[in-house]
Amino acid sequence: MKIDRRSFLSFIIGGAAGTALSPLPAKLTDDLSIWTQNWPWTPVPEDGEAIYADSVCTLCPGGCGISVRKIDDRAIKIEGMKGHPVNDGGICILGLSGLQLLYGPTRVKTPLKKTSNGGWKKISWDEAIAEVAENLGKLRSEGQPQALACISGSDQGTVPQLFRRFMTAYGSPNYMCVPSSQDSYSITLKLMQGAQASAGFDIENADFVLSLGSGIIEGWGSPVCMFKANSACEAKKGKVVQIEPRLSNTAAKADQWIPINPGTEGDLALGLAHLIIKDDLYDKDFVGNNTFGFDDWTDDKGKSCQGFRQFVLENYGPEKVAETTGIDADTLTSLAKSFASASNPVAICGRGQGKRPGSIHEFIAVHALNALKGSINRKGGVWAVPEPNYISWAEPETDAVAQKGLQTPRIDGAGTEKYPYTKSLLNRFAEVVGSEGESPVKMLFVSGANPCFTLPDTGAVKAAFENIPLVVSFSSYMDETAKAADLILPNHVFLERYEDVPPPAGVNKNVIGLSKPVVDPQFDTKHAGDAIISVAKALKGSVGSAFAWDSYEACLQETMGDKWDSLNEKGFVVPDTAPACEKTYTTPSGKFEFFAAGYEQVTIEGDEKWYPLILMPYDSMRLSSGFIGNPPFMTKTVEDTVLKGNDIVVEVNPLTVRESSALFVKDGDYAILSTPKGKATVRVHLSEGIMPGIVAMPTGLGHTAYDEYLAGKGTNFNELIGPVEDPASGLDAAWGIRAKLANIAS
Amino acid sequence: MSTSEEKTKEVSANADSDSGGAIILFFIIGFVASLIAGWIIFPKLLYCQKKQPIDFNHVLHMEEVDDGCESCHFFREDGTYAGVPKLEQCVGCHEEAVGEDPEEVKFVNEYVAKEREVPWLIYSKQPDCVFFSHAAHVKTAGMDCVTCHGPIGESTSLKVYEENWITGYSRDIWGQNMSGLKEHAWDRMKMDDCAECHVKNNVKQTSVQTKKGACFVCHK
């Protein structure tokens, strides 16, 4: 028998035939398909008994109740809490993605200290607290307690107040908060109604909503509450008119979208007031009985002053306003008629999500419109919601060093004669600290804020941070500010900690919530409240004795007093007091006061000659533009007309390109966007939904820190804009900046 | 010349028949070898044999409980199915060892005392892409456990868990018979077996949740 090549082939054929008749091919195919459909490295939620832990979301000031579904110790999903007075089962996209902020890779897992080569060294909590206390002690012994500054994400609630208390006991007046349109509204209420309050809007019960750029369904105020209110208003056949230069989601869903020349919203409000007064359509009862300054009046010295009526009749005629705002006179007339003929109309402002403060004159003009129709503290109107008063700690005792420090003027000039009602002016921070030379701030605490991303002119802010000898961040995440800090004392994330939740922003609901730990802390983190108490105790003396509590939880429990039990049980309490201030008007006249002078437009930065276009930001529910960065789930939902790959996309009207002699781009092309503050390479999306001459850019992109899922995507709008001081409040009133789009040199 | 030619032919004919035999022989060797490989060696290689952490006697427990399988494998209040019992259910009786069985002693010492969950290997675990509701089958359709799981309640010890190296799931899903043939309904738990029963019993062919038919009944 001869074995040759053919025998070998025959063996192979026999083998193939045998294999085909065996279960191997079918079974292997089946197994491989199961394997590829269930990649072993894809995480699968645990199976087991589901339990729900209720808490309150603190990712934004919305104050929504949440129910977290858990299997054993693992949180599986965040859902809206049914029956909660703010969101009643609803939840926003950020809240839904919140688990990625708990389990994601961006967390700071232990206290960190920056090394000399810019890296990070893990240190223990004892070392971290001791280091902070030592540096604080040194500053105090040098008699410079005022050189400590603090940036807090909010002014309300026990944690911000503990920081404020620490600053007072330590001896520094330089406690600053991240501003928002709520600050502008508070000043407006103070000026016109004398109220120390925040503004709450009863959109749900309004039958005509005149929104001057407020993104009612873009995250303005308390997002989920506003979504529901907007739907409720629509369901009752209420009308929403959106006035802004861009076709935002709110504009698209509104009954009418009227594009307006940006920055002229105040003029529009006064123009409408003119038409309403001229046709005698205002609420005469309300204006006659509850207001002051409507008609001409004589002051104490016998000097006659012009009233609001005469002022707007003289200065804001429809032709003039039509020219300023770009809205034709007929539209103005019909808008004024619709507003005036509605039974519960309300006018609101604060652009986009209302994260940026604005011109007080604009806010006053819009609020005057509400007063003309009596929509103040009534169903469907604007409510002056008193600031929460549940924190009633005794003032800390201060020693001589602290007293001396507290007498030094604030570095930002807030609360001075020029800006008496402004609490802090964070927009001046970069300028005051400067990028070189000796900084008036030697040590800085940052809690619940990411100023190195959210403040305008981010470049200057970062440079200022570098000029501060010691920056201590209390962030849970490796955000831009934490990255720029020298020490990080990581806080628990919102699902791991106790915290009181003050009444939500922009809502006329007096709800106090309690955020509770849903899971045990995952890493070696510490509650910021505990951290600041520990630092104070380490300092001893009067600072230490100002913090008599053993822990933050003890402090919170004591603060809440008899509310604690029901807060713990239900997650929220609704105080008996009405949402409005007890005494409605505490102005000098005891009435609502109209202002009849000095309405100015805010001039944005940049020379029209060099920068023919205007760059404006826009906010979106799919992009978290505040202290919290976008979790990956959220970024997944961003359209490619906003972010394409890693490129940011700006919206430009086709006419802008057609009329420009220097710009030749098609949809999707790259271009260079420059402003007096900076430059960025962008892609252009040609859209009819933006007024000609304007470039609209999404906010919340362009992170340089966090993790690989967020860093390096797009450009941060704040790098291209600088602050413009509002003449009345000192707050940032920039609504845009002059800009230029140019082709990329080929 | 002619003789030498004939000789050559003969030689080549011999060689042909020789090589023909070899071809057939090698074909058969290849054929048989691959059949052996496919039917006997491959299944042995595909599965690894694992022992359950604790041997469990179903018969013994069935005598003690009142409510059959559902005594331990129960439905939760929200209608979800608890599956394999957790330690919580076992400690009701086994806080201390109640008998002298070494397996029970091991269970009490290793798991109950240390408050560790027993890492039971689940024979009927389906891939995550499959949606299966016990409530729909047991509560609504009134099926009994045996139809799909077999007479496990009559077993005195737990069989070896054969884990598929590629997928990580138990051999019980494909079934012991590699050809896919089955004698009882519980011999296999593949998609076709689900479908077979659904078709035979004329079950509504759309998903309750999504109202979609075909794949979407189980793959949501």
Side-chain angles (χ1 to χ4, degrees):
Chain A
M1 195 168 75
K2 198 177 152 205
I3 301 169
D4 56 10
R5 189 176 60 89
R6 285 191 285 179
S7 317
F8 181 70
L9 285 175
S10 162
F11 176 77
I12 300 284
I13 293 165
T19 306
L21 291 174
S22 81
L24 193 141
K27 178 70 177 133
L28 219 51
T29 311
D30 187 72
D31 284 350
L32 286 174
S33 66
I34 293 176
W35 179 60
T36 52
Q37 284 168 43
N38 299 276
W39 295 119
W41 53 85
T42 307
V44 173
E46 291 279 325
D47 195 13
E49 187 175 4
I51 45 168
Y52 286 84
D54 289 344
S55 185
V56 177
C57 179
T58 52
L59 295 177
C60 86
C64 292
I66 50 172
S67 285
V68 182
R69 179 148 54 89
K70 281 173 67 185
I71 306 280
D72 298 329
D73 293 330
R74 177 91 188 184
I76 302 291
K77 193 190 173 205
I78 301 178
E79 292 167 3
M81 182 176 156
K82 290 200 175 72
H84 193 278
V86 174
N87 57 323
D88 188 20
I91 190 161
C92 77
I93 187 170
L94 177 61
L96 266 176
S97 323
L99 287 182
Q100 293 191 317
L101 298 167
L102 170 67
Y103 297 120
T106 185
R107 293 197 53 183
V108 181
K109 296 172 182 163
T110 150
L112 295 175
K113 184 183 175 178
K114 195 171 264 172
T115 56
S116 51
N117 61 7
W120 292 102
K121 190 181 133 200
K122 288 182 184 174
I123 54 171
S124 72
W125 271 102
D126 289 343
E127 286 171 300
I129 301 284
E131 171 128 13
V132 176
E134 190 195 329
N135 282 287
L136 285 168
K138 218 189 285 170
L139 213 55
R140 245 172 103 78
S141 63
E142 287 164 10
Q144 283 195 313
Q146 71 277 10
L148 170 72
C150 176
I151 299 176
S152 167
S154 148
D155 191 27
Q156 295 182 354
T158 48
V159 174
Q161 288 304 318
L162 279 175
F163 275 91
R164 177 189 271 280
R165 186 178 180 82
F166 182 88
M167 297 298 284
T168 309
Y170 182 81
S172 170
N174 296 313
Y175 172 83
M176 288 168 272
C177 294
V178 176
S180 76
S181 65
Q182 276 295 333
D183 293 77
S184 302
Y185 256 119
S186 292
I187 294 172
T188 305
L189 292 178
K190 182 82 196 158
L191 289 170
M192 300 182 101
Q193 297 178 210
Q196 193 71 40
S198 54
F201 305 89
D202 188 10
I203 303 288
E204 190 179 340
N205 291 309
D207 62 350
F208 190 95
V209 182
L210 180 70
S211 158
L212 290 119
S214 304
I216 307 172
I217 57 165
E218 244 92 27
W220 184 79
S222 176
V224 179
C225 192
M226 282 302 158
F227 267 78
K228 289 190 173 251
N230 187 55
S231 304
C233 173
E234 273 174 19
K236 282 188 267 181
K237 304 270 181 260
K239 264 190 97 175
V240 178
V241 177
Q242 182 72 4
I243 298 172
E244 62 173 318
R246 180 176 171 269
L247 181 64
S248 63
N249 281 353
T250 309
K253 289 276 282 174
D255 296 273
Q256 197 182 359
W257 166 47
I258 305 173
I260 183 170
N261 290 334
T264 64
E265 286 85 349
D267 294 68
L268 171 70
L270 296 170
L272 294 175
H274 171 107
L275 291 163
I276 291 169
I277 294 169
K278 197 179 78 182
D279 292 346
D280 260 359
L281 297 171
Y282 60 94
D283 183 339
K284 292 191 192 66
D285 264 0
F286 181 86
V287 173
N289 299 327
N290 299 309
T291 68
F292 171 82
F294 184 70
D295 291 308
D296 297 348
W297 52 287
T298 320
D299 69 6
D300 299 343
K301 291 168 192 153
K303 192 178 147 207
S304 78
C305 303
Q306 194 181 38
F308 183 71
R309 178 212 296 263
Q310 208 51 41
F311 172 73
V312 291
L313 286 179
E314 271 177 24
N315 298 300
Y316 291 90
E319 288 76 24
K320 188 181 162 201
V321 173
E323 201 191 316
T324 331
T325 59
I327 303 172
D328 63 71
D330 289 346
T331 311
L332 287 173
T333 313
S334 75
L335 192 58
K337 279 207 174 111
S338 322
F339 187 82
S341 59
S343 47
N344 291 311
V346 65
I348 58 175
C349 62
R351 291 177 184 81
Q353 295 184 340
K355 285 215 168 87
R356 291 156 187 274
S359 151
I360 293 295
H361 293 146
E362 183 182 313
F363 280 71
I364 285 180
V366 174
H367 202 47
L369 208 50
N370 287 315
L372 281 183
K373 283 301 294 174
S375 294
I376 310 286
N377 290 349
R378 74 155 189 210
K379 197 177 156 194
V382 184
W383 292 70
V385 183
E387 284 177 358
N389 59 357
Y390 59 87
I391 301 174
S392 48
W393 303 328
E395 275 298 307
E397 277 180 28
T398 46
D399 59 10
V401 182
Q403 279 162 17
K404 209 171 147 214
L406 286 169
Q407 273 161 13
T408 56
R410 284 179 64 99
I411 53 164
D412 62 0
T416 53
E417 213 171 294
K418 196 172 173 199
Y419 305 125
Y421 303 125
T422 313
K423 287 178 186 162
S424 64
L425 288 168
L426 197 54
N427 44 312
R428 288 182 164 183
F429 179 81
E431 195 193 322
V432 170
V433 172
S435 57
E436 50 195 23
E438 203 182 331
S439 157
V441 178
K442 302 277 186 294
M443 213 173 148
L444 175 70
F445 286 168
V446 186
S447 165
N450 185 10
C452 289
F453 180 79
T454 60
L455 281 187
D457 201 359
T458 318
V461 176
K462 283 184 179 165
F465 264 68
E466 276 177 28
N467 200 24
I468 299 171
L470 185 70
V471 177
V472 184
S473 163
F474 291 83
S475 178
S476 309
Y477 314 105
M478 190 50 95
D479 54 39
E480 284 76 8
T481 307
K483 214 171 148 188
D486 302 287
L487 267 172
I488 309 177
L489 274 55
N491 193 2
H492 298 326
V493 302
F494 74 118
L495 295 169
E496 300 170 326
R497 66 174 189 240
Y498 269 114
E499 194 166 347
D500 53 316
V501 184
V507 179
N508 65 327
K509 286 176 179 166
N510 208 359
V511 188
I512 296 167
L514 180 70
S515 188
K516 285 182 288 187
V518 168
V519 292
D520 290 334
Q522 305 288 304
F523 305 108
D524 186 19
T525 53
K526 199 183 186 91
H527 198 296
D530 278 319
I532 198 72
I533 291 175
S534 305
V535 169
K537 283 191 192 294
L539 274 173
K540 302 195 180 98
S542 62
V543 183
S545 53
F547 291 80
W549 305 285
D550 288 336
S551 65
Y552 171 73
E553 211 180 310
C555 161
L556 183 62
Q557 203 168 334
E558 188 195 305
T559 309
M560 289 303 171
D562 54 0
K563 289 192 201 82
W564 177 255
D565 287 339
S566 51
L567 263 177
N568 232 333
E569 198 182 314
K570 258 177 40 185
F572 62 89
V573 285
V574 183
D576 299 331
T577 48
C581 292
E582 243 171 61
K583 203 159 175 241
T584 322
Y585 308 113
T586 44
T587 48
S589 62
K591 290 179 172 182
F592 182 97
E593 292 194 357
F594 281 107
F595 286 82
Y599 291 95
E600 289 170 37
Q601 283 177 19
V602 170
T603 314
I604 55 168
E605 194 179 346
D607 187 345
E608 197 176 344
K609 207 164 87 189
W610 302 108
Y611 298 100
L613 304 174
I614 291 171
L615 173 68
M616 286 188 78
Y618 72 87
D619 300 329
S620 152
M621 275 309 285
R622 298 177 188 195
L623 288 168
S624 173
S625 54
F627 164 50
I628 302 289
N630 248 32
F633 280 160
M634 239 170 111
T635 309
K636 277 262 178 202
T637 69
V638 176
E639 311 92 318
D640 69 355
T641 49
V642 176
L643 179 72
K644 196 172 173 68
N646 282 340
D647 303 322
I648 196 164
V649 184
V650 296
E651 288 179 15
V652 177
N653 193 296
L655 269 180
T656 312
V657 179
R658 215 173 300 153
E659 284 169 4
S660 162
S661 51
L663 182 67
F664 305 98
V665 285
K666 295 189 300 297
D667 192 76
D669 280 359
Y670 285 103
I672 301 274
L673 176 67
S674 46
T675 71
K677 283 284 178 250
K679 231 182 213 189
T681 305
V682 297
R683 277 181 190 257
V684 174
H685 171 50
L686 298 180
S687 163
E688 304 273 354
I690 182 77
M691 278 174 80
I694 295 172
V695 181
M697 188 182 214
T699 57
L701 288 168
H703 278 282
T704 51
Y706 287 96
D707 49 31
E708 56 180 308
Y709 305 103
L710 189 54
K713 290 193 191 304
T715 304
N716 181 5
F717 171 79
N718 291 317
E719 284 173 9
L720 300 177
I721 191 171
V724 172
E725 229 165 74
D726 176 45
S729 66
L731 290 164
D732 179 21
W735 45 264
I737 187 163
R738 288 239 151 239
K740 183 172 71 182
L741 263 181
N743 281 63
I744 286 185
S746 51
Chain B
M1 277 300 277
S2 68
T3 27
S4 87
E5 265 177 23
E6 272 166 24
K7 230 179 188 172
T8 326
K9 268 185 191 164
E10 215 171 87
V11 171
S12 82
N14 273 345
D16 273 357
S17 81
D18 244 21
S19 121
I23 287 170
I24 291 167
L25 183 68
F26 273 91
F27 179 85
I28 291 170
I29 293 172
F31 187 71
V32 172
S34 62
L35 282 179
I36 293 171
W39 284 97
I40 300 164
I41 303 172
F42 167 66
K44 281 210 162 54
L45 289 177
L46 185 61
Y47 296 104
C48 72
Q49 315 274 314
K50 281 189 172 174
K51 247 187 84 180
Q52 292 281 2
I54 300 286
D55 195 23
F56 184 87
N57 187 334
H58 271 96
V59 173
L60 204 67
H61 286 84
M62 284 295 266
E63 286 166 6
E64 298 293 327
V65 296
D66 303 326
D67 215 4
C69 308
E70 279 200 42
S71 310
C72 300
H73 306 284
F74 57 90
F75 286 89
R76 300 192 192 98
E77 266 175 35
D78 62 357
T80 56
Y81 184 64
V84 175
K86 294 240 168 166
L87 210 54
E88 198 185 326
Q89 282 101 56
C90 308
V91 272
C93 300
H94 295 277
E95 191 102 49
E96 304 282 326
V98 284
E100 280 167 13
D101 190 319
E103 287 293 311
E104 195 209 351
V105 174
K106 188 171 141 198
F107 168 67
V108 171
N109 293 342
E110 289 292 310
Y111 300 100
V112 179
K114 293 180 184 168
E115 291 182 12
R116 268 172 52 198
E117 287 293 338
V118 184
W120 298 110
L121 301 162
I122 302 165
Y123 303 107
S124 52
K125 190 175 168 65
Q126 290 282 349
D128 193 53
C129 56
V130 185
F131 179 89
F132 180 84
S133 161
H134 273 91
H137 291 83
V138 180
K139 296 281 182 193
T140 314
M143 288 168 72
D144 55 16
C145 310
V146 177
T147 312
C148 301
H149 293 286
I152 290 184
E154 294 164 21
S155 68
T156 51
S157 79
L158 294 178
K159 63 179 177 182
V160 171
Y161 179 90
E162 292 182 76
E163 187 184 276
N164 189 312
W165 283 106
I166 301 172
T167 64
Y169 294 101
S170 165
R171 181 169 183 167
D172 295 74
I173 306 300
W174 179 272
Q176 285 299 320
N177 189 325
M178 287 307 285
S179 61
L181 297 174
K182 62 179 174 184
E183 202 180 318
H184 306 107
W186 58 79
D187 285 346
R188 275 166 59 92
M189 276 191 170
K190 291 289 292 175
M191 189 171 83
D192 288 345
D193 304 288
C194 300
E196 184 188 305
C197 189
H198 276 209
V199 171
K200 199 167 81 189
N201 292 316
N202 202 18
V203 177
K204 200 172 133 205
Q205 299 294 310
T206 53
S207 157
V208 180
Q209 286 85 8
T210 61
K211 309 275 184 285
K212 288 177 178 167
C215 316
F216 294 102
V217 179
C218 305
H219 304 287
K220 308 274 179 193

